[in-house]
Amino acid sequence: MEALAAWQEQFKQETGQQEEPGQPAENTQQEHNTIVQPAPGKAVSPESAIHDAAWLQKRDPHHYTVQVIAAHEPASVTRVARRKDLPEAKAIYRKTGFSRRDWYVLLYGDFPSFREARAAMSALPEDVRAYSPWIRKLSDVQDDLAAP
C-alpha cells in the first residue's frame, strides 16, 4: 500500500495532477480499480490521453483494445504509457489479482474491429511489441472494472 501511495504522489508531481474535490478516499471499495488520470488543465489530445475508468466504461463493449503490458510495478506501466510514439488513447488501471497482489495494466486504443486492433498492435514499436501485447474485447475490461 505504501508503494502505491508513493507512486501516486510521484505521478502527481510529474504531471501536475491535483486531487479533485469529491474523489473517493484511497481506502474505499473502488481501490482495486484505481485509474491513472490526466492532469487537469493540461492540454491533452484525445488520442494521446491516459484515460480513467469512466472512459473505459463508456467504450463500446463490442470494440477491442490492446493490452500492452501488465506489471506489479506501476512505474513500469506509466513509463510505457507516456511514450510519444503511442498515438492512440491509453488507459491504466490497477487490478488486484491472485494472492491479492496488484497488477497495473496498460490498454492501448479503442478499435471497432479485431482487424483494426491487430493492425495497431502490429504497428507498435518493436521494443513495445517485446512485452507480448494481446488483443482484448472491451467488454472483458469492463467486467474487470466491475469485479469486486
Side-chain angles (χ1 to χ4, degrees):
M1 195 63 75
E2 290 177 28
L4 174 63
W7 172 71
Q8 288 173 332
E9 184 60 34
Q10 178 184 0
F11 182 82
K12 288 176 193 174
Q13 289 173 356
E14 290 176 5
T15 63
Q17 179 178 341
Q18 300 296 316
E19 290 182 348
E20 296 179 14
Q23 291 292 324
E26 278 192 37
N27 292 322
T28 67
Q29 60 181 332
Q30 295 179 347
E31 183 174 296
H32 76 286
N33 287 327
T34 301
I35 305 296
V36 176
Q37 298 182 18
K42 290 215 175 205
V44 178
S45 73
E47 296 81 23
S48 64
I50 300 175
H51 294 284
D52 62 9
W55 182 84
L56 286 168
Q57 292 290 14
K58 290 177 186 174
R59 302 298 92 202
D60 184 326
H62 298 101
H63 283 195
Y64 297 85
T65 189
V66 177
Q67 181 170 317
V68 175
I69 185 174
H72 294 297
E73 198 53 49
S76 301
V77 177
T78 303
R79 189 172 26 260
V80 175
R82 290 184 180 154
R83 290 177 58 135
K84 302 285 188 229
D85 56 353
L86 299 177
E88 295 292 332
K90 297 169 280 287
I92 297 175
Y93 72 98
R94 185 178 67 146
K95 177 169 179 48
T96 301
F98 297 108
S99 303
R100 300 186 51 78
R101 189 146 184 216
D102 289 340
W103 284 94
Y104 297 86
V105 180
L106 172 61
L107 303 175
Y108 179 69
D110 173 0
F111 306 102
S113 72
F114 186 89
R115 178 181 289 170
E116 291 173 78
R118 185 175 53 207
M121 187 172 70
S122 296
L124 289 171
E126 187 175 338
D127 60 325
V128 174
R129 287 194 318 265
Y131 295 122
S132 300
W134 55 290
I135 298 169
R136 294 184 68 184
K137 206 159 192 185
L138 277 165
S139 62
D140 294 337
V141 173
Q142 292 163 344
D143 288 347
D144 274 354
L145 291 170

